[in-house]
Amino acid sequence: MGGTILRLIRQGWHVGILDLTSGEPTPLGSVETRTRETAEANARIGEPWRANLGLPNRSLEPTLEHRRALAGAFRRLRPRLLFAPFWEDAHPDHTAATRLVEDARFWGKLSKSDIPGEPFHPSRILYYFSVHLKIVERPSFVVDVSDQHEAKLDALRCYRSQLVDNQPEGRPGVIDAVADRARFWGHLAGVRFAEPFASREPIGLAGLGDLLP
């Protein structure tokens, strides 16, 4: 959803990214490499606020301890909207992250708890697609990111150890797949490039003026 992040920032939204893990280990990376790549990528998408919760990569679980840590972050940061990975995926860390976000959102509003900060409940969770399944997504809506598409790809290329140097020769890689999907969803929406999102709940509209042709 890098294009959407760029678009929101340019529209005046306050956007933050809370990484749950360091992303390590990976075949060609290291904690230092991923930290540097993350900073470079963040600069390409408008320098949103960014932090890391420090939970264990490859062992991420929606435990009570992790839920409490994330609920405390929600109380401190008080986001209006939350974005989480789509709830169906082959990657266990992705599905664990989704469950953790949903559970922590609920816990964040609880009174008479030992979670630091004042109770707070983000109004909505929206889900982006970064799945390890060969499926066609079924989004609730798409966002036009035609003007942000190239900057998004530049940000993805910053993750060289994972998305450039670690890709098979002579075959489409992850970044190619991201670009193809953005073109596909843009075609269906009548624009050049778009990013799909899902919602478990109905989405209310103040009007129909922003609907794409």
Side-chain angles (χ1 to χ4, degrees), residues 139-203:
S140 303
F141 64 94
V142 301
V143 175
D144 178 8
V145 295
S146 301
D147 293 339
Q148 294 79 34
H149 179 70
E150 290 304 322
K152 170 186 176 172
L153 296 187
D154 287 342
L156 290 175
R157 294 186 189 103
C158 291
Y159 295 100
R160 288 196 60 87
S161 64
Q162 186 180 20
L163 302 181
V164 178
D165 298 335
N166 196 35
Q167 298 302 293
E169 293 187 12
R171 293 166 50 194
V174 171
I175 295 177
D176 298 311
V178 170
D180 289 344
R181 290 186 178 195
R183 187 177 294 108
F184 171 78
W185 289 112
H187 170 71
L188 294 187
V191 299
R192 287 180 297 154
F193 300 101
E195 291 177 342
F197 295 87
S199 176
R200 292 189 189 270
E201 303 169 314
I203 297 172

Short mmCIF file of all heavy atoms in Angstrom, two decimals, residues 139-203:
data_model
loop_
_atom_site.label_atom_id
_atom_site.label_comp_id
_atom_site.label_asym_id
_atom_site.label_seq_id
_atom_site.Cartn_x
_atom_site.Cartn_y
_atom_site.Cartn_z
N PRO A 139 -11.23 -7.35 -3.48
CA PRO A 139 -11.23 -6.19 -2.58
C PRO A 139 -12.61 -5.57 -2.41
O PRO A 139 -13.53 -5.79 -3.20
CB PRO A 139 -10.29 -5.21 -3.30
CG PRO A 139 -10.45 -5.55 -4.75
CD PRO A 139 -10.65 -7.05 -4.79
N SER A 140 -12.72 -4.78 -1.35
CA SER A 140 -13.93 -3.99 -1.12
C SER A 140 -13.87 -2.68 -1.89
O SER A 140 -14.91 -2.13 -2.27
CB SER A 140 -14.08 -3.69 0.38
OG SER A 140 -14.09 -4.87 1.14
N PHE A 141 -12.67 -2.18 -2.13
CA PHE A 141 -12.48 -0.95 -2.90
C PHE A 141 -11.02 -0.89 -3.35
O PHE A 141 -10.17 -1.63 -2.84
CB PHE A 141 -12.84 0.30 -2.07
CG PHE A 141 -11.96 0.51 -0.87
CD1 PHE A 141 -10.84 1.35 -0.94
CD2 PHE A 141 -12.24 -0.10 0.35
CE1 PHE A 141 -10.03 1.54 0.16
CE2 PHE A 141 -11.44 0.09 1.45
CZ PHE A 141 -10.32 0.92 1.36
N VAL A 142 -10.74 -0.01 -4.31
CA VAL A 142 -9.38 0.22 -4.75
C VAL A 142 -9.09 1.71 -4.70
O VAL A 142 -10.01 2.54 -4.79
CB VAL A 142 -9.12 -0.33 -6.18
CG1 VAL A 142 -9.39 -1.83 -6.23
CG2 VAL A 142 -9.93 0.41 -7.22
N VAL A 143 -7.81 2.05 -4.54
CA VAL A 143 -7.37 3.44 -4.48
C VAL A 143 -6.53 3.74 -5.71
O VAL A 143 -5.59 3.00 -6.03
CB VAL A 143 -6.56 3.71 -3.19
CG1 VAL A 143 -6.01 5.14 -3.19
CG2 VAL A 143 -7.42 3.48 -1.97
N ASP A 144 -6.84 4.82 -6.39
CA ASP A 144 -6.07 5.26 -7.55
C ASP A 144 -4.69 5.75 -7.09
O ASP A 144 -4.58 6.72 -6.36
CB ASP A 144 -6.82 6.39 -8.27
CG ASP A 144 -6.07 6.94 -9.48
OD1 ASP A 144 -5.03 6.36 -9.86
OD2 ASP A 144 -6.53 7.95 -10.04
N VAL A 145 -3.64 5.04 -7.51
CA VAL A 145 -2.26 5.44 -7.15
C VAL A 145 -1.43 5.68 -8.40
O VAL A 145 -0.21 5.48 -8.39
CB VAL A 145 -1.60 4.39 -6.23
CG1 VAL A 145 -2.33 4.30 -4.90
CG2 VAL A 145 -1.56 3.02 -6.91
N SER A 146 -2.08 6.10 -9.48
CA SER A 146 -1.37 6.30 -10.74
C SER A 146 -0.21 7.28 -10.60
O SER A 146 0.89 7.04 -11.12
CB SER A 146 -2.35 6.82 -11.81
OG SER A 146 -3.41 5.89 -12.02
N ASP A 147 -0.42 8.37 -9.88
CA ASP A 147 0.63 9.38 -9.72
C ASP A 147 1.70 8.96 -8.72
O ASP A 147 2.77 9.57 -8.68
CB ASP A 147 0.02 10.71 -9.26
CG ASP A 147 -0.87 11.33 -10.33
OD1 ASP A 147 -0.71 10.98 -11.52
OD2 ASP A 147 -1.74 12.15 -9.98
N GLN A 148 1.42 7.94 -7.93
CA GLN A 148 2.36 7.50 -6.90
C GLN A 148 3.04 6.17 -7.26
O GLN A 148 3.91 5.69 -6.51
CB GLN A 148 1.61 7.31 -5.57
CG GLN A 148 1.06 8.59 -4.96
CD GLN A 148 -0.23 9.06 -5.60
OE1 GLN A 148 -1.06 8.26 -6.02
NE2 GLN A 148 -0.40 10.36 -5.69
N HIS A 149 2.69 5.59 -8.40
CA HIS A 149 3.14 4.23 -8.71
C HIS A 149 4.66 4.12 -8.81
O HIS A 149 5.27 3.22 -8.23
CB HIS A 149 2.48 3.76 -10.01
CG HIS A 149 2.88 2.39 -10.43
ND1 HIS A 149 2.48 1.26 -9.75
CD2 HIS A 149 3.64 1.95 -11.48
CE1 HIS A 149 2.97 0.19 -10.35
NE2 HIS A 149 3.68 0.58 -11.39
N GLU A 150 5.30 5.02 -9.55
CA GLU A 150 6.75 4.91 -9.74
C GLU A 150 7.51 5.12 -8.44
O GLU A 150 8.51 4.44 -8.19
CB GLU A 150 7.20 5.92 -10.80
CG GLU A 150 6.75 5.57 -12.22
CD GLU A 150 7.21 4.17 -12.65
OE1 GLU A 150 8.35 3.79 -12.29
OE2 GLU A 150 6.44 3.48 -13.34
N ALA A 151 7.04 6.05 -7.62
CA ALA A 151 7.70 6.26 -6.32
C ALA A 151 7.56 5.03 -5.44
O ALA A 151 8.48 4.67 -4.69
CB ALA A 151 7.11 7.49 -5.62
N LYS A 152 6.41 4.35 -5.52
CA LYS A 152 6.23 3.12 -4.76
C LYS A 152 7.22 2.05 -5.21
O LYS A 152 7.84 1.37 -4.38
CB LYS A 152 4.80 2.63 -4.93
CG LYS A 152 4.57 1.22 -4.38
CD LYS A 152 3.18 0.70 -4.70
CE LYS A 152 3.02 -0.73 -4.24
NZ LYS A 152 1.64 -1.21 -4.37
N LEU A 153 7.39 1.88 -6.53
CA LEU A 153 8.33 0.88 -7.02
C LEU A 153 9.76 1.24 -6.61
O LEU A 153 10.56 0.35 -6.29
CB LEU A 153 8.22 0.76 -8.54
CG LEU A 153 6.89 0.25 -9.09
CD1 LEU A 153 7.00 0.02 -10.60
CD2 LEU A 153 6.44 -1.03 -8.38
N ASP A 154 10.10 2.53 -6.63
CA ASP A 154 11.42 2.95 -6.16
C ASP A 154 11.62 2.56 -4.70
O ASP A 154 12.72 2.15 -4.31
CB ASP A 154 11.58 4.46 -6.31
CG ASP A 154 11.77 4.88 -7.76
OD1 ASP A 154 12.11 4.01 -8.60
OD2 ASP A 154 11.58 6.08 -8.06
N ALA A 155 10.57 2.70 -3.89
CA ALA A 155 10.67 2.32 -2.48
C ALA A 155 10.88 0.82 -2.33
O ALA A 155 11.69 0.37 -1.51
CB ALA A 155 9.41 2.76 -1.73
N LEU A 156 10.17 0.02 -3.13
CA LEU A 156 10.34 -1.42 -3.06
C LEU A 156 11.76 -1.84 -3.45
O LEU A 156 12.34 -2.75 -2.86
CB LEU A 156 9.33 -2.11 -3.97
CG LEU A 156 7.87 -2.06 -3.52
CD1 LEU A 156 6.97 -2.69 -4.58
CD2 LEU A 156 7.69 -2.77 -2.20
N ARG A 157 12.33 -1.14 -4.43
CA ARG A 157 13.70 -1.48 -4.85
C ARG A 157 14.73 -1.19 -3.77
O ARG A 157 15.85 -1.71 -3.83
CB ARG A 157 14.05 -0.71 -6.13
CG ARG A 157 13.20 -1.13 -7.33
CD ARG A 157 13.67 -0.45 -8.62
NE ARG A 157 12.72 -0.69 -9.70
CZ ARG A 157 11.83 0.20 -10.13
NH1 ARG A 157 11.77 1.41 -9.57
NH2 ARG A 157 11.00 -0.10 -11.11
N CYS A 158 14.37 -0.37 -2.80
CA CYS A 158 15.29 -0.10 -1.69
C CYS A 158 15.54 -1.36 -0.86
O CYS A 158 16.59 -1.48 -0.21
CB CYS A 158 14.74 1.00 -0.79
SG CYS A 158 14.72 2.64 -1.56
N TYR A 159 14.60 -2.28 -0.87
CA TYR A 159 14.77 -3.54 -0.13
C TYR A 159 15.54 -4.54 -1.01
O TYR A 159 15.03 -5.59 -1.36
CB TYR A 159 13.40 -4.09 0.27
CG TYR A 159 12.64 -3.24 1.24
CD1 TYR A 159 11.63 -2.39 0.81
CD2 TYR A 159 12.94 -3.27 2.60
CE1 TYR A 159 10.92 -1.60 1.71
CE2 TYR A 159 12.24 -2.49 3.51
CZ TYR A 159 11.23 -1.65 3.05
OH TYR A 159 10.54 -0.88 3.93
N ARG A 160 16.77 -4.18 -1.34
CA ARG A 160 17.55 -4.98 -2.29
C ARG A 160 17.77 -6.40 -1.80
O ARG A 160 17.69 -7.36 -2.58
CB ARG A 160 18.91 -4.31 -2.54
CG ARG A 160 18.85 -3.04 -3.37
CD ARG A 160 20.24 -2.69 -3.87
NE ARG A 160 20.77 -3.77 -4.70
CZ ARG A 160 20.55 -3.88 -6.01
NH1 ARG A 160 19.81 -2.98 -6.63
NH2 ARG A 160 21.07 -4.89 -6.69
N SER A 161 18.07 -6.57 -0.52
CA SER A 161 18.42 -7.90 -0.03
C SER A 161 17.25 -8.88 -0.12
O SER A 161 17.46 -10.09 -0.20
CB SER A 161 18.90 -7.82 1.43
OG SER A 161 17.86 -7.37 2.28
N GLN A 162 16.04 -8.36 -0.15
CA GLN A 162 14.85 -9.22 -0.16
C GLN A 162 14.16 -9.25 -1.52
O GLN A 162 13.69 -10.31 -1.95
CB GLN A 162 13.87 -8.77 0.91
CG GLN A 162 12.66 -9.70 1.08
CD GLN A 162 11.71 -9.21 2.15
OE1 GLN A 162 11.72 -8.05 2.52
NE2 GLN A 162 10.88 -10.11 2.64
N LEU A 163 14.08 -8.10 -2.19
CA LEU A 163 13.23 -7.98 -3.37
C LEU A 163 13.98 -7.78 -4.68
O LEU A 163 13.36 -7.73 -5.74
CB LEU A 163 12.24 -6.82 -3.19
CG LEU A 163 11.32 -6.90 -1.97
CD1 LEU A 163 10.38 -5.71 -1.94
CD2 LEU A 163 10.55 -8.20 -1.96
N VAL A 164 15.31 -7.64 -4.63
CA VAL A 164 16.10 -7.43 -5.85
C VAL A 164 17.15 -8.53 -5.98
O VAL A 164 17.11 -9.35 -6.90
CB VAL A 164 16.77 -6.05 -5.86
CG1 VAL A 164 17.62 -5.88 -7.12
CG2 VAL A 164 15.72 -4.94 -5.80
N ASP A 165 18.09 -8.58 -5.06
CA ASP A 165 19.19 -9.54 -5.15
C ASP A 165 18.74 -10.97 -4.90
O ASP A 165 19.46 -11.91 -5.27
CB ASP A 165 20.29 -9.17 -4.15
CG ASP A 165 20.90 -7.81 -4.44
OD1 ASP A 165 20.84 -7.37 -5.61
OD2 ASP A 165 21.42 -7.18 -3.50
N ASN A 166 17.59 -11.15 -4.29
CA ASN A 166 17.12 -12.48 -3.92
C ASN A 166 16.07 -13.04 -4.88
O ASN A 166 15.39 -14.01 -4.56
CB ASN A 166 16.54 -12.45 -2.49
CG ASN A 166 16.40 -13.83 -1.88
OD1 ASN A 166 17.22 -14.70 -2.13
ND2 ASN A 166 15.36 -14.03 -1.10
N GLN A 167 15.95 -12.44 -6.07
CA GLN A 167 14.92 -12.87 -7.01
C GLN A 167 15.50 -13.80 -8.08
O GLN A 167 16.67 -13.71 -8.42
CB GLN A 167 14.28 -11.65 -7.67
CG GLN A 167 13.58 -10.72 -6.70
CD GLN A 167 12.48 -11.43 -5.91
OE1 GLN A 167 11.48 -11.85 -6.47
NE2 GLN A 167 12.70 -11.59 -4.61
N PRO A 168 14.69 -14.72 -8.61
CA PRO A 168 15.18 -15.68 -9.61
C PRO A 168 15.51 -14.99 -10.92
O PRO A 168 14.79 -14.08 -11.36
CB PRO A 168 14.00 -16.65 -9.77
CG PRO A 168 12.80 -15.85 -9.37
CD PRO A 168 13.27 -14.92 -8.29
N GLU A 169 16.61 -15.41 -11.56
CA GLU A 169 16.99 -14.84 -12.85
C GLU A 169 16.07 -15.36 -13.95
O GLU A 169 15.70 -16.53 -13.98
CB GLU A 169 18.44 -15.21 -13.16
CG GLU A 169 19.46 -14.56 -12.24
CD GLU A 169 20.88 -14.82 -12.70
OE1 GLU A 169 21.05 -15.29 -13.84
OE2 GLU A 169 21.81 -14.57 -11.90
N GLY A 170 15.73 -14.46 -14.87
CA GLY A 170 14.95 -14.85 -16.03
C GLY A 170 13.47 -15.05 -15.77
O GLY A 170 12.76 -15.51 -16.67
N ARG A 171 13.02 -14.77 -14.57
CA ARG A 171 11.60 -14.92 -14.22
C ARG A 171 11.11 -13.66 -13.53
O ARG A 171 11.89 -12.95 -12.89
CB ARG A 171 11.41 -16.12 -13.29
CG ARG A 171 11.69 -17.46 -13.94
CD ARG A 171 11.81 -18.56 -12.89
NE ARG A 171 10.69 -18.56 -11.96
CZ ARG A 171 10.69 -19.23 -10.81
NH1 ARG A 171 11.75 -19.96 -10.45
NH2 ARG A 171 9.63 -19.21 -10.02
N PRO A 172 9.81 -13.37 -13.64
CA PRO A 172 9.28 -12.18 -12.94
C PRO A 172 9.48 -12.31 -11.43
O PRO A 172 9.30 -13.38 -10.84
CB PRO A 172 7.79 -12.20 -13.30
CG PRO A 172 7.70 -13.01 -14.54
CD PRO A 172 8.78 -14.05 -14.44
N GLY A 173 9.87 -11.22 -10.80
CA GLY A 173 10.08 -11.20 -9.36
C GLY A 173 8.91 -10.56 -8.62
O GLY A 173 7.87 -10.25 -9.21
N VAL A 174 9.11 -10.32 -7.35
CA VAL A 174 8.06 -9.75 -6.50
C VAL A 174 7.65 -8.37 -7.00
O VAL A 174 6.45 -8.05 -7.09
CB VAL A 174 8.52 -9.69 -5.04
CG1 VAL A 174 7.53 -8.90 -4.20
CG2 VAL A 174 8.70 -11.09 -4.47
N ILE A 175 8.62 -7.52 -7.33
CA ILE A 175 8.28 -6.17 -7.76
C ILE A 175 7.51 -6.20 -9.07
O ILE A 175 6.58 -5.41 -9.27
CB ILE A 175 9.55 -5.31 -7.86
CG1 ILE A 175 10.19 -5.16 -6.46
CG2 ILE A 175 9.24 -3.94 -8.44
CD1 ILE A 175 11.49 -4.40 -6.45
N ASP A 176 7.88 -7.11 -9.96
CA ASP A 176 7.11 -7.26 -11.20
C ASP A 176 5.66 -7.64 -10.90
O ASP A 176 4.72 -7.12 -11.53
CB ASP A 176 7.74 -8.34 -12.08
CG ASP A 176 9.14 -8.00 -12.51
OD1 ASP A 176 9.35 -6.88 -13.00
OD2 ASP A 176 10.03 -8.85 -12.34
N ALA A 177 5.47 -8.55 -9.96
CA ALA A 177 4.11 -8.97 -9.60
C ALA A 177 3.31 -7.82 -9.00
O ALA A 177 2.12 -7.66 -9.29
CB ALA A 177 4.18 -10.14 -8.62
N VAL A 178 3.96 -7.02 -8.17
CA VAL A 178 3.28 -5.86 -7.57
C VAL A 178 2.83 -4.89 -8.66
O VAL A 178 1.69 -4.39 -8.64
CB VAL A 178 4.21 -5.16 -6.56
CG1 VAL A 178 3.62 -3.82 -6.13
CG2 VAL A 178 4.44 -6.04 -5.35
N ALA A 179 3.71 -4.62 -9.62
CA ALA A 179 3.36 -3.70 -10.70
C ALA A 179 2.23 -4.26 -11.56
O ALA A 179 1.32 -3.52 -11.96
CB ALA A 179 4.60 -3.42 -11.55
N ASP A 180 2.29 -5.56 -11.85
CA ASP A 180 1.23 -6.17 -12.68
C ASP A 180 -0.12 -6.11 -11.98
O ASP A 180 -1.15 -5.83 -12.62
CB ASP A 180 1.58 -7.63 -12.97
CG ASP A 180 2.74 -7.77 -13.95
OD1 ASP A 180 3.06 -6.78 -14.62
OD2 ASP A 180 3.32 -8.87 -14.03
N ARG A 181 -0.13 -6.36 -10.67
CA ARG A 181 -1.40 -6.30 -9.94
C ARG A 181 -1.94 -4.88 -9.88
O ARG A 181 -3.15 -4.67 -10.00
CB ARG A 181 -1.21 -6.86 -8.53
CG ARG A 181 -0.97 -8.35 -8.52
CD ARG A 181 -0.94 -8.91 -7.11
NE ARG A 181 -0.75 -10.36 -7.13
CZ ARG A 181 -0.96 -11.14 -6.09
NH1 ARG A 181 -1.36 -10.62 -4.95
NH2 ARG A 181 -0.78 -12.45 -6.18
N ALA A 182 -1.07 -3.90 -9.71
CA ALA A 182 -1.52 -2.50 -9.68
C ALA A 182 -2.10 -2.10 -11.03
O ALA A 182 -3.10 -1.37 -11.10
CB ALA A 182 -0.36 -1.59 -9.30
N ARG A 183 -1.50 -2.60 -12.11
CA ARG A 183 -2.02 -2.31 -13.44
C ARG A 183 -3.38 -2.99 -13.65
O ARG A 183 -4.31 -2.40 -14.23
CB ARG A 183 -1.02 -2.78 -14.50
CG ARG A 183 -1.40 -2.37 -15.92
CD ARG A 183 -0.33 -2.80 -16.91
NE ARG A 183 0.92 -2.07 -16.68
CZ ARG A 183 2.02 -2.62 -16.16
NH1 ARG A 183 2.01 -3.89 -15.79
NH2 ARG A 183 3.11 -1.91 -16.00
N PHE A 184 -3.51 -4.23 -13.16
CA PHE A 184 -4.77 -4.97 -13.29
C PHE A 184 -5.90 -4.23 -12.57
O PHE A 184 -6.97 -4.01 -13.15
CB PHE A 184 -4.59 -6.37 -12.71
CG PHE A 184 -5.87 -7.16 -12.59
CD1 PHE A 184 -6.44 -7.76 -13.70
CD2 PHE A 184 -6.50 -7.31 -11.36
CE1 PHE A 184 -7.62 -8.49 -13.58
CE2 PHE A 184 -7.67 -8.03 -11.24
CZ PHE A 184 -8.23 -8.63 -12.36
N TRP A 185 -5.67 -3.85 -11.32
CA TRP A 185 -6.73 -3.18 -10.57
C TRP A 185 -6.99 -1.78 -11.10
O TRP A 185 -8.13 -1.30 -11.08
CB TRP A 185 -6.40 -3.16 -9.08
CG TRP A 185 -6.50 -4.52 -8.48
CD1 TRP A 185 -5.49 -5.30 -8.00
CD2 TRP A 185 -7.70 -5.29 -8.34
NE1 TRP A 185 -5.98 -6.51 -7.57
CE2 TRP A 185 -7.33 -6.53 -7.77
CE3 TRP A 185 -9.03 -5.07 -8.65
CZ2 TRP A 185 -8.26 -7.53 -7.50
CZ3 TRP A 185 -9.96 -6.06 -8.38
CH2 TRP A 185 -9.57 -7.27 -7.81
N GLY A 186 -5.95 -1.13 -11.60
CA GLY A 186 -6.18 0.17 -12.24
C GLY A 186 -7.04 0.05 -13.47
O GLY A 186 -7.94 0.87 -13.71
N HIS A 187 -6.80 -1.00 -14.26
CA HIS A 187 -7.62 -1.22 -15.47
C HIS A 187 -9.09 -1.39 -15.11
O HIS A 187 -9.97 -0.80 -15.75
CB HIS A 187 -7.11 -2.47 -16.20
CG HIS A 187 -8.00 -2.93 -17.30
ND1 HIS A 187 -8.15 -2.25 -18.49
CD2 HIS A 187 -8.83 -4.02 -17.39
CE1 HIS A 187 -9.02 -2.88 -19.26
NE2 HIS A 187 -9.45 -3.97 -18.62
N LEU A 188 -9.38 -2.17 -14.07
CA LEU A 188 -10.78 -2.38 -13.68
C LEU A 188 -11.42 -1.11 -13.14
O LEU A 188 -12.64 -0.93 -13.25
CB LEU A 188 -10.86 -3.49 -12.63
CG LEU A 188 -10.46 -4.90 -13.10
CD1 LEU A 188 -10.77 -5.91 -12.00
CD2 LEU A 188 -11.19 -5.29 -14.39
N ALA A 189 -10.61 -0.23 -12.55
CA ALA A 189 -11.15 1.01 -11.99
C ALA A 189 -11.13 2.16 -12.98
O ALA A 189 -11.60 3.25 -12.67
CB ALA A 189 -10.34 1.40 -10.75
N GLY A 190 -10.57 1.95 -14.18
CA GLY A 190 -10.53 3.00 -15.19
C GLY A 190 -9.40 3.98 -15.01
O GLY A 190 -9.47 5.11 -15.51
N VAL A 191 -8.33 3.57 -14.30
CA VAL A 191 -7.15 4.41 -14.11
C VAL A 191 -5.93 3.58 -14.48
O VAL A 191 -6.02 2.41 -14.83
CB VAL A 191 -7.05 4.93 -12.66
CG1 VAL A 191 -8.27 5.79 -12.33
CG2 VAL A 191 -6.94 3.78 -11.66
N ARG A 192 -4.73 4.19 -14.40
CA ARG A 192 -3.53 3.44 -14.79
C ARG A 192 -3.13 2.40 -13.75
O ARG A 192 -2.84 1.25 -14.08
CB ARG A 192 -2.37 4.42 -15.02
CG ARG A 192 -2.51 5.24 -16.31
CD ARG A 192 -1.33 6.18 -16.45
NE ARG A 192 -1.30 7.14 -15.35
CZ ARG A 192 -0.20 7.75 -14.91
NH1 ARG A 192 0.96 7.47 -15.44
NH2 ARG A 192 -0.27 8.63 -13.93
N PHE A 193 -3.10 2.80 -12.48
CA PHE A 193 -2.66 1.90 -11.42
C PHE A 193 -3.52 2.11 -10.18
O PHE A 193 -3.91 3.24 -9.87
CB PHE A 193 -1.19 2.15 -11.05
CG PHE A 193 -0.23 1.96 -12.19
CD1 PHE A 193 0.27 3.05 -12.88
CD2 PHE A 193 0.17 0.69 -12.57
CE1 PHE A 193 1.15 2.88 -13.94
CE2 PHE A 193 1.05 0.50 -13.63
CZ PHE A 193 1.54 1.61 -14.31
N ALA A 194 -3.81 1.02 -9.47
CA ALA A 194 -4.62 1.12 -8.26
C ALA A 194 -4.17 0.05 -7.26
O ALA A 194 -3.59 -0.97 -7.64
CB ALA A 194 -6.10 0.97 -8.56
N GLU A 195 -4.45 0.30 -5.99
CA GLU A 195 -4.16 -0.66 -4.92
C GLU A 195 -5.46 -1.12 -4.30
O GLU A 195 -6.33 -0.30 -3.97
CB GLU A 195 -3.26 -0.01 -3.86
CG GLU A 195 -1.86 0.28 -4.36
CD GLU A 195 -0.98 0.98 -3.34
OE1 GLU A 195 -1.53 1.56 -2.38
OE2 GLU A 195 0.25 0.96 -3.53
N PRO A 196 -5.62 -2.44 -4.12
CA PRO A 196 -6.86 -2.98 -3.56
C PRO A 196 -6.83 -3.09 -2.05
O PRO A 196 -5.78 -3.35 -1.44
CB PRO A 196 -6.93 -4.37 -4.19
CG PRO A 196 -5.48 -4.79 -4.32
CD PRO A 196 -4.71 -3.52 -4.59
N PHE A 197 -7.99 -2.93 -1.43
CA PHE A 197 -8.15 -3.06 0.01
C PHE A 197 -9.44 -3.80 0.31
O PHE A 197 -10.40 -3.74 -0.47
CB PHE A 197 -8.18 -1.69 0.70
CG PHE A 197 -6.90 -0.93 0.58
CD1 PHE A 197 -6.66 -0.11 -0.51
CD2 PHE A 197 -5.92 -1.03 1.56
CE1 PHE A 197 -5.47 0.58 -0.63
CE2 PHE A 197 -4.73 -0.34 1.45
CZ PHE A 197 -4.50 0.46 0.35
N ALA A 198 -9.46 -4.46 1.45
CA ALA A 198 -10.65 -5.18 1.88
C ALA A 198 -11.13 -4.65 3.22
O ALA A 198 -10.37 -4.03 3.97
CB ALA A 198 -10.36 -6.68 1.99
N SER A 199 -12.40 -4.91 3.52
CA SER A 199 -12.97 -4.55 4.81
C SER A 199 -13.91 -5.66 5.25
O SER A 199 -14.67 -6.20 4.43
CB SER A 199 -13.72 -3.22 4.73
OG SER A 199 -14.35 -2.92 5.97
N ARG A 200 -13.86 -6.01 6.51
CA ARG A 200 -14.81 -6.99 7.04
C ARG A 200 -16.18 -6.36 7.27
O ARG A 200 -17.18 -7.08 7.38
CB ARG A 200 -14.29 -7.55 8.37
CG ARG A 200 -13.04 -8.43 8.28
CD ARG A 200 -12.80 -9.08 9.62
NE ARG A 200 -11.54 -9.78 9.76
CZ ARG A 200 -11.35 -11.07 9.48
NH1 ARG A 200 -12.35 -11.79 9.01
NH2 ARG A 200 -10.16 -11.64 9.66
N GLU A 201 -16.23 -5.04 7.38
CA GLU A 201 -17.47 -4.33 7.73
C GLU A 201 -17.90 -3.44 6.57
O GLU A 201 -17.07 -3.05 5.74
CB GLU A 201 -17.24 -3.49 8.99
CG GLU A 201 -16.78 -4.30 10.19
CD GLU A 201 -16.30 -3.42 11.33
OE1 GLU A 201 -15.55 -2.46 11.08
OE2 GLU A 201 -16.69 -3.70 12.47
N PRO A 202 -19.19 -3.09 6.49
CA PRO A 202 -19.63 -2.17 5.46
C PRO A 202 -18.90 -0.83 5.57
O PRO A 202 -18.55 -0.39 6.67
CB PRO A 202 -21.13 -2.00 5.73
CG PRO A 202 -21.51 -3.21 6.52
CD PRO A 202 -20.31 -3.56 7.33
N ILE A 203 -18.69 -0.19 4.43
CA ILE A 203 -18.00 1.09 4.38
C ILE A 203 -19.02 2.17 4.08
O ILE A 203 -19.72 2.12 3.06
CB ILE A 203 -16.89 1.07 3.32
CG1 ILE A 203 -15.83 0.03 3.70
CG2 ILE A 203 -16.26 2.45 3.16
CD1 ILE A 203 -14.79 -0.20 2.62
#
